[in-house]
Amino acid sequence: MSLSSKVKEFIKYDFNQYKQPLVFAISLVISILKLFGKHQLAFKITASTFRSGWKGSEKLAQKEINFYFVQKPNLGSKIATKEINDIEPQSNTERLFRKPDQMVGKIVTVICNPTESSKGVVIVKYSVYFGLFARFFDIEKISSKYYIILEPSWAGLCELPIFFYTSLKSPVFVQTYEERDFELISNSKTNLIPIQIGPSWFINHEVFVPQQLQKLYDVIMVAAWAKFKRHDEFFKAIKPCIERNKDFKLVLVGYPVDMTKEEIRQLTQKHGIEENVTIFEKISRDKVSEVLSSSKVNVLWSKFEGNNRAIIEGMFCDIPVVLREGHNYGEHYDFINEMTGCFANEQTLSDAVEEIIDNLDSLAPRAYVLNNRNAIQATRAIEKCIANQEGVSCDMWHEKLAVKTNDLVGMSYLKADPQHFAKANDEIKKCPSGNTHIQFIS
């Protein structure tokens, strides 16, 4: 990692408890921007500050959400609409600007059909698509027949595309896997309702299962070739294990984002561990499960991201995890415990890994997640939340929700027949937005 990148990372994520003066200074800038009518920029700065986790950023975000979406909802809707209409096509979204209905079925997934007396339920997955769904579809009409659930892919939910949904008359449910995001949505005094689950709850536990394979690798890291995944820092922290045991083996599973496989390989050379590292790129889900089962310990070394799926996939393969201390907002997640793994920092990673390897027989990560954190339980949590909204018990909810699971791209059903929702999918596809500002690309 370059010096400039290290400085940026330090400013963003380290010693956040001492950064309240920065938040105060930013709040003054936001006030000035609002005076000059720069409301969209003011809120975007608020969002970035909240995502940082700096001390005081929660109060700042709550104040601005109240101003834009409670006190002045028309102004909030205006800047959120502009944000959505300004979204430019990217490599992974360009096709949807041509054919938005391709979102339906994988990205926008129905898990309950509507009836004459009760709404259906539809989940919108990935933060990047919240704005596109609102832009290309008549979500007011859709929300009259379906409860909408947003499943964010990144922590820090003070975002205009999310709060755009406060313009709807119906309640909108938001998955909030970080405690501070839960508090933000809970205290927003809008129609947004938090559910304390996240994407990693929806791993297919029937695909990611323990396999009786030889343990070829001591440590596995399933992470995109991306700078925020911190491969360089991981190699530096794990290197003492290799220095103590020349047969210590690492395996990396990933795909290109803002780095390439060759750049990852160059980092292994930089640290002198190339001979100890095996790299797999763009392998199938079944192959990922196989490589996980061939490993002893799973490591996640990013400082900030979404609700990581790879560590739960590993746990379903009965592989314990070491998670970097301070990950995201430093929450001590319940799923990192004496049955599943531990936290570590740059100084303690190598010792933590070796201790877990020495005590593998005493851990039971699959048993823990099967009993406490799986797609079926997450679906029941959604049912309970919706039933509470309707003022009925879960037993009176008109139809059990279909259990969906998350693929690397999109969603699938665990048991349900997709054809059961074909009519609902067609109905949503026939609800194009009436937004006259939309420009479809040819």
Side-chain angles (χ1 to χ4, degrees), residues 230-435:
R230 308 179 74 242
H231 288 83
D232 193 10
E233 290 70 24
F234 164 64
F235 294 151
K236 181 179 179 181
I238 201 68
K239 187 175 179 179
C241 290
I242 296 172
E243 291 174 337
R244 291 190 285 264
N245 176 8
K246 64 180 178 63
D247 294 322
F248 194 93
K249 300 297 183 184
L250 307 179
V251 60
L252 309 176
V253 178
Y255 54 90
V257 178
D258 59 4
M259 298 181 70
T260 65
K261 179 180 177 181
E262 181 55 33
E263 287 176 306
I264 299 296
R265 177 69 69 189
Q266 288 171 5
L267 289 177
T268 67
Q269 295 170 348
K270 168 186 168 182
H271 292 280
I273 60 173
E274 182 181 12
E275 298 303 317
N276 300 80
V277 180
T278 300
I279 302 178
F280 291 100
E281 182 174 74
K282 290 185 178 180
I283 59 177
S284 68
R285 183 178 62 176
D286 291 341
K287 183 64 176 179
V288 173
S289 179
E290 177 187 317
V291 179
L292 278 164
S293 290
S294 302
S295 306
K296 297 175 184 176
V297 183
N298 194 2
V299 172
L300 177 63
W301 213 239
S302 57
K303 285 191 175 182
F304 192 89
E305 58 175 272
N307 190 213
N308 185 272
R309 58 179 284 134
I311 56 177
I312 305 300
E313 290 173 349
M315 289 182 189
F316 277 124
C317 293
D318 223 21
I319 310 303
V321 65
V322 178
L323 181 63
R324 189 189 178 281
E325 284 181 4
H327 178 76
N328 284 355
Y329 300 114
E331 189 173 327
H332 278 253
Y333 306 109
D334 62 315
F335 57 91
I336 306 294
N337 55 52
E338 64 278 0
M339 292 180 68
T340 65
C342 67
F343 294 93
N345 57 39
E346 275 73 9
Q347 288 71 45
T348 62
L349 175 62
S350 61
D351 290 339
V353 165
E354 289 176 351
E355 183 174 354
I356 287 179
I357 290 174
D358 289 342
N359 295 279
L360 284 176
D361 292 342
S362 67
L363 286 87
R366 180 174 173 85
Y368 179 84
V369 286
L370 275 177
N371 290 328
N372 297 281
R373 191 184 185 85
N374 61 62
I376 297 170
Q377 290 173 323
T379 307
R380 300 294 87 87
I382 294 172
E383 283 176 356
K384 182 178 180 180
C385 201
I386 294 175
N388 287 343
Q389 183 62 35
E390 293 218 329
V392 300
S393 71
C394 286
D395 293 337
M396 294 177 66
W397 176 241
H398 75 280
E399 179 181 328
K400 289 292 185 184
L401 306 186
V403 179
K404 66 95 174 180
T405 59
N406 288 345
D407 301 325
L408 185 58
V409 178
M411 298 178 271
S412 302
Y413 298 107
L414 185 65
K415 300 290 187 184
D417 181 357
Q419 287 303 309
H420 180 63
F421 303 104
K423 182 179 177 181
N425 287 337
D426 288 341
E427 185 176 61
I428 292 173
K429 289 178 182 179
K430 293 175 182 177
C431 288
S433 173
N435 186 343

Side-chain angles (χ1 to χ4, degrees), residues 90-145:
Q90 304 296 323
S91 59
N92 60 329
T93 62
E94 186 175 358
R95 62 186 174 85
L96 302 177
F97 280 74
R98 292 191 294 268
K99 296 182 177 180
D101 62 357
Q102 290 186 2
M103 294 176 65
V104 181
K106 276 290 189 180
I107 296 165
V108 178
T109 301
V110 176
I111 59 172
C112 181
N113 289 315
T115 68
E116 290 185 2
S117 60
S118 193
K119 290 184 177 183
V121 181
V122 62
I123 294 182
V124 185
K125 180 173 169 58
Y126 306 116
S127 301
V128 69
Y129 298 115
F130 299 163
L132 295 183
F133 183 53
R135 177 171 170 175
F136 293 131
F137 293 86
D138 186 344
I139 61 170
E140 182 68 61
K141 184 177 180 180
I142 291 170
S143 69
S144 69
K145 294 196 67 174

